[in-house]
Amino acid sequence: MVKTIKNISENTFQALSSLSKTDIIDLLHSKGILGDDIRLTNLFKSDENNFSIHQLNEKDINFLIKVFSDELIIPNFHSFSEKITEITKLVESNCNGSVANYIPELKSVDPKHFAVSICTIDGQCYNFGDSETPFCVQSTCKPINYCIALESLGEAKVHQFIGKEPSGQRFNEVALNKDGLPHNPLINSGAMMCCALIKPEDTIAERFDYVKKYWSQLTLNRGPGFDQATYESEKLTAHRNYALAHLMQEIQAFPKNTSIENTMDLYIRNCSLTLTTSNLSLAAATLANGGINPFSQEKIFSNETIKDCLTIMSFCGMYDFSGEFAFKVGIPAKSGVSGAIMLVIPNVMGICVWSPNLDHYGNSVRGVEFATRLTETFNFHNFDSLVGNSSKIDPRRHFSNANFDI
Ligand code: GLU
């Protein structure tokens, strides 16, 4: 077996040796490995005219061999991308819904924006539309806030203050569960509670920096930005969220000594961070990849944190459409009122769709249609069987030679 793999590698290496730099880059592109991939900086920087694959170091060559021996999670990325573009174009014609208007700044966003970005656990990327236009993350920051709280305090402590059930009510309903706690970490009350749990002893500047550092790690320092205008406008109009925070304060739901002012400030700041779909798909890919950034290989969140977060996302991430979404689409997701939806296919890929027109639940109309068509086409629903006949496409690599002997 070892000999066979070695032969494949040698053949791949021989084939690569005869190609020009441009040919290699074109081929990489068809595999979803893009020109800004930090794993191949040496290749991208090399001199086009005097290029030889022998100039690259062992790590670079091993990575190229891995790509061209079809060892990435989506081996036929080209066909996969074509199918995704087909879906995306169908979805683009849907202009239903309207932009969120309860936060003044969100009213002025152009509803025509549309972007889809995908990043696999092996760092294969796909981008469509306005994938480099920044938007406010709004509630798509909530899974990350939850992960940060879990990382610092652990699951048991965090869930002393937050439940694990869908609320069955609007995301900003002034309502708590029967224990007087937020229903879950992905609705407003629960997200405020997560903010209250993040470094409460530090100053607001330090706490916000701490959160931003996580986003920088998730996005390879490509984000986040900050939308000052949205922050200011939300701060002035977040009466319902303040009501919720005061209710929680009154019944002592928060940990002792919680400052509502600081908690609300951190919450609104986090919602006002800006990212592009390509960056948010990277964060989603890290959630899909057990907390490890596919490019830097940095372990950002523990396996336990990821398991807890994806579980809650599976049934609480899509407002009061979450049950329907779990049934029909069947993947962990989180949507935000800016029209972004983060989708995670565990152990395969992260996806971000952005289109500002929302349905009456507050979910992006095109985002929900994209997700629905995605799992109608590919067997990505949590409960799709990987064996037996299916009309769905399975694009992922299977480890047919896996050795389970202990
Ligand atoms: N900042 C928004 C709010 O608190 C987030 C809502 C959302 O995206 O779900 O209402």
Side-chain angles (χ1 to χ4, degrees), residues 102-103 138-139 142 171-172 188 234 241 267 271 319 334-338:
Y102 77 103
I103 298 174
Q138 291 298 334
S139 281
K142 289 177 179 163
F171 62 95
N172 56 4
N188 287 11
E234 190 168 347
N241 285 337
Y267 171 82
C271 292
Y319 304 126
K334 182 69 195 101
S335 124
V337 292
S338 51

Side-chain angles (χ1 to χ4, degrees), residues 13-28:
F13 183 72
Q14 288 310 325
L16 284 173
S17 306
S18 61
L19 298 179
S20 70
K21 176 178 164 182
T22 313
D23 288 342
I24 293 180
I25 289 177
D26 285 349
L27 280 171
L28 283 168

Side-chain angles (χ1 to χ4, degrees), residues 50-348:
N50 301 313
F51 176 76
S52 152
I53 195 165
H54 299 274
Q55 294 160 351
L56 300 178
N57 64 34
E58 200 182 329
K59 201 161 152 237
D60 297 344
I61 291 171
N62 284 342
F63 180 63
L64 287 176
I65 288 173
K66 185 171 174 189
V67 175
F68 294 117
S69 306
D70 284 342
E71 283 180 37
L72 301 186
I73 186 73
I74 307 290
N76 194 344
F77 198 77
H78 184 67
S79 308
F80 175 74
S81 302
E82 282 185 342
K83 228 29 203 169
I84 294 288
T85 303
E86 246 172 60
I87 295 174
T88 306
K89 289 197 169 146
L90 282 173
V91 170
E92 196 171 22
S93 62
N94 186 345
C95 297
N96 294 332
S98 50
V99 296
N101 57 15
Y102 77 103
I103 298 174
E105 277 306 301
L106 293 182
K107 267 194 259 182
S108 55
V109 176
D110 182 354
K112 290 203 276 303
H113 281 301
F114 183 40
V116 175
S117 293
I118 295 179
C119 176
T120 73
I121 57 163
D122 283 323
Q124 299 164 280
C125 295
Y126 168 94
N127 292 302
F128 178 95
D130 306 322
S131 59
E132 294 308 326
T133 306
F135 54 84
C136 245
V137 292
Q138 291 298 334
S139 281
T140 51
C141 71
K142 289 177 179 163
I144 305 304
N145 294 342
Y146 176 47
C147 286
I148 298 173
L150 287 173
E151 285 292 304
S152 41
L153 296 181
E155 180 255 313
K157 183 87 181 158
V158 168
H159 284 287
Q160 272 177 24
F161 298 98
I162 314 175
K164 302 173 189 136
E165 293 288 345
S167 71
Q169 287 163 322
R170 283 195 70 76
F171 62 95
N172 56 4
E173 201 67 47
V174 183
L176 298 169
N177 71 13
K178 62 180 179 357
D179 302 318
L181 298 176
H183 289 86
N184 66 68
L186 301 185
I187 53 171
N188 287 11
S189 53
M192 288 177 214
M193 187 60 85
C194 285
C195 289
L197 298 175
I198 296 172
K199 297 265 171 206
E201 65 287 353
D202 290 358
T203 65
I204 185 70
E206 287 164 342
R207 296 168 76 187
F208 188 45
D209 267 352
Y210 187 72
V211 171
K212 282 196 297 182
K213 225 187 235 151
Y214 271 100
W215 280 110
S216 304
Q217 286 174 295
L218 290 164
T219 62
L220 298 170
N221 295 321
R222 293 173 191 160
F226 185 66
D227 185 337
Q228 184 74 24
T230 300
Y231 166 73
E232 304 279 352
S233 79
E234 190 168 347
K235 209 151 183 204
L236 287 175
T237 54
H239 307 299
R240 181 173 275 272
N241 285 337
Y242 279 106
L244 250 173
H246 281 286
L247 171 67
M248 292 197 282
Q249 183 80 316
E250 196 225 342
I251 62 169
Q252 297 175 355
F254 283 119
K256 275 200 184 70
N257 303 325
T258 295
S259 149
I260 293 196
E261 267 319 300
N262 284 352
T263 299
M264 285 300 293
D265 195 42
L266 184 59
Y267 171 82
I268 298 171
R269 279 173 196 261
N270 290 346
C271 292
S272 306
L273 290 169
T274 58
L275 285 171
T276 61
T277 56
S278 75
N279 290 340
L280 203 48
S281 73
L282 240 163
T286 301
L287 298 186
N289 195 32
I292 298 174
N293 182 304
F295 296 93
S296 66
Q297 288 301 311
E298 192 176 359
K299 179 85 174 161
I300 301 173
F301 298 124
S302 72
N303 291 11
E304 291 72 27
T305 290
I306 294 295
K307 174 177 69 60
D308 294 345
C309 181
L310 295 183
T311 307
I312 302 273
M313 284 172 76
S314 313
F315 54 82
C316 300
M318 298 296 287
Y319 304 126
D320 35 348
F321 185 66
S322 296
E324 191 73 34
F325 191 87
F327 186 82
K328 201 163 176 24
V329 179
I331 52 178
K334 182 69 195 101
S335 124
V337 292
S338 51
I341 302 185
M342 179 158 85
L343 303 159
V344 180
I345 299 155
N347 305 307
V348 183

Side-chain angles (χ1 to χ4, degrees), residues 352-364:
C352 178
V353 185
W354 175 51
S355 169
N357 275 345
L358 309 180
D359 60 21
H360 68 277
Y361 295 106
N363 294 315
S364 165

